[in-house]
Amino acid sequence: MHNVQIGDLTVGNDAPLLVISGPCQLESLDHAQMIAGQMAENCKAAGAQFVFEGSFDKANRTSVSGKRGLGIDEGLKVMQAVKDAIGCPVLTDIHIAYQCADVAAVCDIMQIPAFLCRQTDLLIAAGETGAVINLKKGQFLAPWDMPNVVSKIESTGNTRILLTERGTCLLYTSD
């Protein structure tokens, strides 16, 4: 286990707690700044580190008509504004390999959603940016399957990887 540097923050087992929090999806600049400002203040008071999370596109909605967010262009403008105004690192989800370079230019951390955690092309494209990658473990994977996933990112030379445990589903029944 090694520490990961994110701007002025150090993330690791021997570092202060890291809180990654924000709205499920970005709705507006004012909304994002209000949440980020309050969270940054609360985390500072508690001695915790803070990263603002906001998704420009919630591409995994159950319904095709579900609200998805501001889109990449407007969403990245909001993330940059939050980063500048609040002074905290920012994180957003990526879903497609071609998004990686644009997101890495603004966001301190790119997050791989749990549903996409084994997608080789996405993992390699994210790793090639050199950005910090927060990899959410899919509930369909056993914990011991993650080294194979991590090695895809590491194959690019990027070891700036955070892992987020999402639990493990053993089975579903209709009863």
Side-chain angles (χ1 to χ4, degrees), residues 132-152:
V132 176
I133 310 299
N134 186 37
L135 182 57
K136 286 187 169 179
K137 183 186 82 61
Q139 294 90 330
F140 51 87
L141 286 179
W144 49 85
D145 292 329
M146 287 304 289
N148 292 328
V149 176
V150 169
S151 70
K152 291 179 183 184

Side-chain angles (χ1 to χ4, degrees), residues 154-173:
E154 289 179 334
S155 74
T156 68
N158 187 345
T159 60
R160 302 176 69 206
I161 303 167
L162 306 175
L163 298 177
T164 299
E165 171 60 56
R166 300 285 296 175
T168 302
C169 295
L170 299 176
L171 64 105
Y172 289 104
T173 64

Side-chain angles (χ1 to χ4, degrees), residues 11-125:
V11 180
N13 291 342
D14 58 349
L17 174 69
L18 175 69
V19 175
I20 299 173
S21 183
C24 180
Q25 69 187 32
L26 293 171
E27 295 180 17
S28 70
L29 174 57
D30 290 342
H31 184 248
Q33 286 186 332
M34 181 269 301
I35 292 170
Q38 189 64 57
M39 286 301 304
E41 185 178 309
N42 292 346
C43 287
K44 183 177 181 179
Q49 304 181 97
F50 173 63
V51 171
F52 177 75
E53 175 182 6
S55 293
F56 61 82
D57 183 13
K58 295 303 285 185
N60 61 347
R61 293 290 191 217
T62 302
S63 169
V64 71
S65 61
K67 190 172 178 183
R68 291 181 51 173
L70 298 175
I72 192 167
D73 294 333
E74 187 63 25
L76 290 178
K77 288 177 188 174
V78 167
M79 296 303 276
Q80 184 67 59
V82 166
K83 186 175 176 177
D84 293 343
I86 308 302
C88 62
V90 296
L91 171 154
T92 196
D93 295 332
I94 53 172
H95 304 94
I96 303 168
Y98 73 77
Q99 296 172 333
C100 293
D102 290 340
V103 170
V106 172
C107 296
D108 302 281
I109 306 171
M110 290 191 291
Q111 181 164 271
I112 308 292
F115 281 138
L116 301 175
C117 74
R118 290 178 53 184
Q119 299 300 310
T120 301
D121 293 342
L122 180 60
L123 296 171
I124 290 173

